Amino acid sequence: MTDRTKGPAELRKQVERTRGELGATVGELAARADVRGRALARAADLRDKAGAMTVQLRSSAAQAGHAVQGGATRAQHAVEHRAPQPVRRVAQAALRLPRPVLFAGAAGAAVVAAGVLRRRNGGR
């Protein structure tokens, strides 16, 4: 046999190789044509990203909440140590019994509002 002529075994190998390449090409074309499958895969990717972002945002929010809580605690300690004794007693009582303090504050606000309205109307 010469270089130009190929034997049956060589031709079979070439045919099998060509079939394999053709099968891969057809598979790639089918994947490109599967719009629904690609859309579903993209939606799954976006869902995963959204889930990861949700976890990250919750973590950031928790850290911010802890930071604010720490700042509030520091402010509370500063007020406790610097405020006059009568103010501290009233604040502690308000923490123990918030409802009476709320009613007293509302009554005080009503008295102030009545005074402001009376002044605006010329004492009528």
Side-chain angles (χ1 to χ4, degrees), residues 28-48:
E28 289 175 15
L29 289 173
R32 286 185 186 173
D34 185 18
V35 175
R36 182 175 186 270
R38 288 189 356 221
L40 290 174
R42 177 75 174 144
D45 287 345
L46 291 175
R47 247 188 325 270
D48 291 343

Side-chain angles (χ1 to χ4, degrees), residues 44-68:
D45 287 345
L46 291 175
R47 247 188 325 270
D48 291 343
K49 284 182 183 179
M53 192 173 269
T54 300
V55 168
Q56 184 179 8
L57 288 174
R58 284 183 180 166
S59 174
S60 297
Q63 288 176 350
H66 290 303
V68 168

Side-chain angles (χ1 to χ4, degrees), residues 13-28:
K13 285 182 184 178
Q14 184 178 3
V15 167
E16 288 302 316
R17 204 171 33 245
T18 304
R19 282 183 184 160
E21 291 172 1
L22 181 61
T25 303
V26 169
E28 289 175 15

